[in-house]
Amino acid sequence: MLFYNTLNKKKEEFVPIVPGKVSIYVCGPTVYDFIHIGNARPMIVFDTLRRYLEHKGYEVNYVSNFTDVDDKIIKKSIEEGISAQEVAERYIKECKQDMEHMNVRPASTHPRATQEIGGMIGMISDLIEKGYAYEKNGTVYFRTRKFKEYGKLSHKNLDDLRSGGRSLLVTGEDEKEDPLDFVLWKPKKEGEPYWESPWSDGRPGWHIECSVMAKHYLGATIDIHAGGEDLVFPHHENEIAQSECCNGVPFANYWLHNAFLNIDNRKMSKSLGNFFTVREIEKHYDLQILRMFMLSAHYRSPLNFSHDLMESAKSSYERICNAVDNLNFLIQNAKTEEMSEAEAGKAKELDGFTQQFDAAMDDDINTADAFAAVFDLVRFANSEVSADSSKAFAQAVKDEILMLGDILGMKFEKKAEVLDSDIEALIEERQAARKAKNFARADEIRDQLAGMGITLLDTREGVKWKRA
Ligand code: AMP
Ligand code: ZN
């Protein structure tokens, strides 16, 4: 399996630290508002990577944080007259709902920065002790030049950075030894949330949060660290500096970065105001279609969001769902159960689609080509399965489509709509069974209805029902 590693600027064979296991850290969102579909891109892409690794038999420990203390959260809390914690709680909940609807599985752990402050104070103390950090008037800075490998991820040269260094200097930071130094801990301003520390009542800088949470949940060296390409510099560069100076071992072996989701060829972002939230898109489209749109491009290619591309994702999605629907019909109405010899031969071709799919995914998670394998399989289904096919053959083809779909996090089987008339017929049958004292059958029907999301209420006026 090859991954393009930002660290070495080339595709490299993936070799995990522990055979059979993979540790992944993905930088998560700052929770001060609903997430936009740009934020959704890394979530969908790296969730797909996780699913694929599991399909290959790896045990994956997937950690993605929520940044729940930050200037933007504090600003929102002041605007709304609620605590920063309440703002964060609210948007973590909303983000988890969006993730669920996009079929992004919850991480193994979703650490929150505010619950890891002790670890941050510990790492900062270590860095001071080792001479990599210093305190000035309650602020702690990282001594960037002392880390000889600084710039190795973003491939920036320290002297180039220094000549442009003035721009790195934020007002009030004139006390820094060097403009390249960055903040590890800063004192609170009036009204801001704070924690006690040896240097001041204050809060951690953003970069130290990820170094600490990655180490806490995954260890000093991790297999894969991922996020959007805007994070390469300075965020990930600074994470490497802090972690490697503190721990004395490489921080992450593979660095994966997704390209931007653009709109009119400009990055979709809150600050530019050119964004759609996931929630807005959900009003118009099933979020499976958003997922399909995201995965229709390679994760390292910029992707331009447009109505036309969403419509095209929608028709592609429906084409696959229709094929599955059709297979369901053929399975239910098949005249024979077992595969014929000819069918058994054809069924062997199904492995070829898995191989085509895996080859695409092995090549730096090429989801666009993986989808091509799914479409080839759908064409195979449409041409090879008919009313004359056996149930077993139609089922094998359907299973293959659903299996590949599941790796991409796509649900191609729409839930069959349960008609009122079907429910009423079952209820009548249950009443008849009870009258005949066939309670086993009556219970069975109740369970069947429960499985369809129908709750029965035995009332004095008779049996009533409602949908869950
Ligand atoms: P933020 O909340 O801005 O820190 O972003 C959370 C994640 O979303 C990071 O991995 C960002 O790199 C990523 N991200 C933000 N905007 C975009 C975008 N327009 N396209 C792709 N990824 C993005
Ligand atoms: Zn991070």
Side-chain angles (χ1 to χ4, degrees):
M1 199 182 327
L2 298 176
F3 293 141
Y4 182 90
N5 190 352
T6 308
L7 199 55
N8 301 318
K9 285 175 113 173
K10 59 176 197 290
K11 284 187 196 171
E12 294 176 346
E13 183 65 34
F14 176 62
V15 185
I17 302 164
V18 180
K21 295 191 175 182
V22 185
S23 52
I24 306 184
Y25 186 92
V26 183
C27 292
T30 305
V31 280
Y32 65 103
D33 208 338
F34 289 96
I35 58 162
H36 61 67
I37 56 176
N39 302 132
R41 190 172 190 192
M43 288 179 183
I44 291 173
V45 161
F46 299 118
D47 174 65
T48 306
L49 166 64
R50 173 194 194 179
R51 287 165 181 269
Y52 183 63
L53 288 166
E54 287 178 357
H55 155 73
K56 298 276 269 190
Y58 288 105
E59 190 186 307
V60 183
N61 192 353
Y62 189 96
V63 175
S64 189
N65 66 299
F66 286 117
T67 296
D68 62 349
V69 58
D70 166 271
D71 288 344
K72 296 187 202 109
I73 299 176
I74 295 169
K75 184 164 170 267
K76 184 106 176 191
S77 83
I78 294 167
E79 278 166 16
E80 301 211 355
I82 54 175
S83 71
Q85 197 189 346
E86 279 171 289
V87 172
E89 282 297 335
R90 181 197 300 167
Y91 292 110
I92 287 173
K93 193 163 150 268
E94 301 294 3
C95 177
K96 285 186 170 171
Q97 181 183 320
D98 287 338
M99 286 169 62
E100 191 186 332
H101 293 187
M102 295 187 294
N103 209 16
V104 169
R105 281 168 47 202
S108 317
T109 312
H110 279 292
R112 299 179 189 190
T114 57
Q115 289 167 9
E116 308 281 336
I117 304 287
M120 295 176 204
I121 292 175
M123 191 179 266
I124 297 171
S125 304
D126 267 9
L127 287 168
I128 293 177
E129 209 163 291
K130 292 186 168 126
Y132 286 106
Y134 58 94
E135 186 255 345
K136 282 270 171 77
N137 304 319
T139 303
V140 183
Y141 296 99
F142 185 85
R143 195 170 268 134
T144 303
R145 271 180 186 276
K146 194 161 159 90
F147 179 49
K148 294 292 168 242
E149 293 172 71
Y150 193 83
K152 67 177 173 180
L153 180 72
S154 52
H155 307 280
K156 286 185 193 293
N157 175 310
L158 272 188
D159 294 321
D160 294 348
L161 279 175
R162 181 160 179 83
S163 56
R166 281 281 122 197
S167 62
L168 294 173
L169 219 119
V170 178
T171 347
E173 290 189 350
D174 306 332
E175 61 194 12
K176 291 201 281 191
E177 288 176 6
D178 187 312
L180 292 177
D181 296 350
F182 58 88
V183 171
L184 299 176
W185 185 269
K186 57 183 159 196
K188 66 166 187 191
K189 292 198 199 104
E190 200 42 47
E192 287 184 353
Y194 68 91
W195 290 263
E196 287 174 6
S197 82
W199 318 289
S200 58
D201 286 351
R203 61 189 161 103
W206 172 38
H207 315 302
I208 196 77
E209 297 175 5
C210 288
S211 281
V212 168
M213 292 187 270
K215 183 179 179 184
H216 183 172
Y217 294 97
L218 300 169
T221 304
I222 64 179
D223 288 305
I224 300 172
H225 194 128
E229 67 182 3
D230 54 331
L231 301 185
V232 174
F233 185 86
H235 185 52
H236 288 165
E237 196 70 73
N238 291 354
E239 282 187 39
I240 292 179
Q242 300 160 155
S243 294
E244 299 196 354
C245 291
C246 176
N247 305 328
V249 291
F251 180 35
N253 290 337
Y254 301 85
W255 286 87
L256 272 55
H257 292 101
N258 64 273
F260 286 145
L261 180 72
N262 293 328
I263 201 157
D264 298 326
N265 296 310
R266 290 176 79 197
K267 179 195 170 187
M268 181 177 290
S269 79
K270 283 262 161 62
S271 51
L272 291 172
N274 59 348
F275 65 91
F276 291 107
T277 61
V278 169
R279 216 46 80 79
E280 282 165 337
I281 297 302
E282 195 173 21
K283 285 192 196 134
H284 307 283
Y285 294 97
D286 182 335
L287 292 180
Q288 283 284 293
I289 293 165
L290 180 67
R291 185 166 182 125
M292 181 134 180
F293 159 77
M294 295 281 184
L295 297 177
S296 66
H298 189 269
Y299 76 97
R300 282 189 296 111
S301 306
L303 179 57
N304 214 31
F305 182 79
S306 72
H307 176 75
D308 285 357
L309 283 177
M310 280 299 284
E311 283 300 310
S312 134
K314 184 178 176 191
S315 63
S316 302
Y317 178 62
E318 281 170 358
R319 185 144 46 99
I320 305 175
C321 292
N322 288 342
V324 173
D325 252 8
N326 190 36
L327 287 169
N328 276 333
F329 178 82
L330 296 173
I331 290 165
Q332 270 159 25
N333 297 291
K335 295 182 209 91
T336 53
E337 290 286 323
E338 303 298 324
M339 277 193 218
S340 67
E341 219 167 283
E343 283 180 337
K346 275 273 161 210
K348 287 211 181 82
E349 289 178 33
L350 291 175
D351 285 346
F353 295 103
T354 307
Q355 281 158 20
Q356 185 188 343
F357 182 96
D358 284 7
M361 293 295 281
D362 281 346
D363 184 14
D364 193 27
I365 330 168
N366 194 333
T367 52
D369 284 0
F371 262 111
V374 176
F375 285 119
D376 286 352
L377 173 59
V378 164
R379 264 188 292 278
F380 175 92
N382 291 342
S383 65
E384 301 294 340
V385 190
S386 69
D388 297 328
S389 302
S390 68
K391 187 173 179 168
F393 181 61
Q395 184 70 47
V397 176
K398 177 187 152 186
D399 288 349
E400 177 75 13
I401 299 179
L402 295 190
M403 190 269 289
L404 296 183
D406 192 48
I407 301 169
L408 295 166
M410 297 294 308
K411 295 179 185 166
F412 293 134
E413 197 165 32
K414 291 191 180 157
K415 278 205 191 100
E417 235 181 281
V418 184
L419 299 175
D420 287 6
S421 54
D422 292 343
I423 297 166
E424 252 121 58
L426 278 167
I427 292 175
E428 235 165 80
E429 197 192 329
R430 177 169 171 267
Q431 291 302 90
R434 286 172 100 185
K435 231 184 222 160
K437 300 217 179 321
N438 184 354
F439 297 111
R441 176 67 191 142
D443 287 349
E444 203 177 275
I445 296 172
R446 175 183 280 269
D447 292 346
Q448 187 184 346
L449 285 163
M452 293 155 79
I454 306 300
T455 315
L456 297 183
L457 306 162
D458 289 311
T459 70
R460 229 180 292 163
E461 299 84 55
V463 180
K464 292 193 171 150
W465 61 272
K466 62 173 197 220
R467 289 175 200 267

